[in-house]
Amino acid sequence: MKKTFVLVVLFVLPIVAYLFFASGVNNFGKLPVLTEGVNELNVEGNNVQFHNNITILGFLGNEVEHKKGNTFNLNQKIYKRFYQFKDFQCVMVLPIGTEQKVDELKKELANLADTSKWKFLFMEETDIKNLFENLKTDIKLGADLGTPYVFIIDKDGNLRGRDNDEDEGTKYGFDTNSVAELNNKMVDDVKIILAEYRLALKKNNNRNTD
């Protein structure tokens, strides 16, 4: 009897566990689309786009110095973990006129990580508001044209998030004031969307080799 129990523990349980998690990836491994067709980024002289990229989108606003802590939290908890993925980028939108403040911020970020996937776009106030409103979230843009929340945009320009979050119900964005939220929720969601695209790429490659 003891031998049978040991054999079950050693051989059967790992197989059951593998099948459980494998089916979980297939059935539950997609991050819900909350808003379809977010307006494409269109900044003259800049080729940064949502198309074919997994984008973390943020709005730093006029008071960049007050968002440094938020940016550093995002850098340490999300950016440094995922920036080596080919199609990953962090795009921060700011009003025209904040260029010098951003130069200072970029220098500080460069002391912490490779900043090649950090993208800063400077836009007119109306364009910033239009982009934010096009996300169709329940989050408000501040009077300074900034917010501590960041958003996940997929390769097709769709806003991804949670439609059954245990705390908020529908979760459109992630609060960079909260290290716990970045650690406990956003890391998982970025992992899911990266895995989703890797799985799709693998399936496509397998079809091409058949």
Side-chain angles (χ1 to χ4, degrees):
M1 187 70 180
K2 289 183 178 179
K3 289 183 179 180
T4 303
F5 177 76
V6 171
L7 288 173
V8 169
V9 170
L10 291 177
F11 298 104
V12 177
L13 286 182
I15 294 173
V16 171
Y18 170 78
L19 292 174
F20 173 80
F21 287 112
S23 64
V25 169
N26 290 329
N27 296 327
F28 307 106
K30 287 193 175 183
L31 198 63
V33 173
L34 301 182
T35 304
E36 293 186 3
V38 175
N39 288 345
E40 181 59 273
L41 298 169
N42 186 19
V43 178
E44 187 175 350
N46 200 308
N47 61 357
V48 177
Q49 291 189 323
F50 294 138
H51 182 65
N52 283 338
N53 289 296
I54 296 168
T55 303
I56 307 303
L57 175 66
F59 297 80
L60 293 184
N62 285 303
E63 300 174 353
V64 178
E65 62 277 12
H66 294 162
K67 294 291 193 304
K68 280 187 178 181
N70 303 81
T71 309
F72 294 152
N73 286 345
L74 185 64
N75 183 76
Q76 296 302 105
K77 299 303 176 181
I78 302 299
Y79 178 85
K80 287 177 71 174
R81 191 163 187 158
F82 299 111
Y83 80 93
Q84 291 180 319
F85 286 90
K86 179 181 177 182
D87 304 321
F88 179 86
Q89 62 179 359
C90 275
V91 176
M92 299 292 114
V93 174
L94 304 97
I96 292 171
T98 58
E99 289 85 349
Q100 185 173 346
K101 294 178 181 179
V102 169
D103 285 341
E104 295 172 6
L105 175 60
K106 288 166 70 174
K107 288 177 183 177
E108 295 184 47
L109 285 172
N111 293 325
L112 302 172
D114 175 349
T115 58
S116 59
K117 298 293 185 71
W118 277 104
K119 312 293 182 182
F120 296 89
L121 297 182
F122 304 96
M123 302 169 64
E124 297 287 352
E125 178 176 339
T126 301
D127 294 331
I128 293 175
K129 289 180 176 179
N130 287 340
L131 175 61
F132 187 84
E133 289 172 4
N134 193 241
L135 296 174
K136 299 177 183 176
T137 76
D138 57 3
I139 299 166
K140 302 297 182 183
L141 189 66
D144 68 334
L145 301 177
T147 175
Y149 286 86
V150 294
F151 309 90
I152 299 174
I153 310 296
D154 70 18
K155 292 186 177 186
D156 297 313
N158 301 318
L159 172 66
R160 299 291 194 98
R162 300 185 174 198
D163 57 9
N164 191 26
D165 181 71
E166 62 271 24
D167 299 313
E168 302 175 37
T170 300
K171 185 168 186 57
Y172 291 97
F174 301 86
D175 186 357
T176 56
N177 282 319
S178 172
V179 172
E181 181 161 310
L182 298 180
N183 265 334
N184 299 331
K185 294 187 178 183
M186 190 173 184
V187 166
D188 288 344
D189 288 5
V190 174
K191 281 182 180 178
I192 289 171
I193 195 168
L194 287 169
E196 177 185 332
Y197 280 110
R198 287 201 303 271
L199 182 61
L201 180 62
K202 183 177 180 180
K203 286 182 176 178
N204 187 56
N205 289 339
N206 288 339
R207 283 197 294 267
N208 291 337
T209 56
D210 287 345

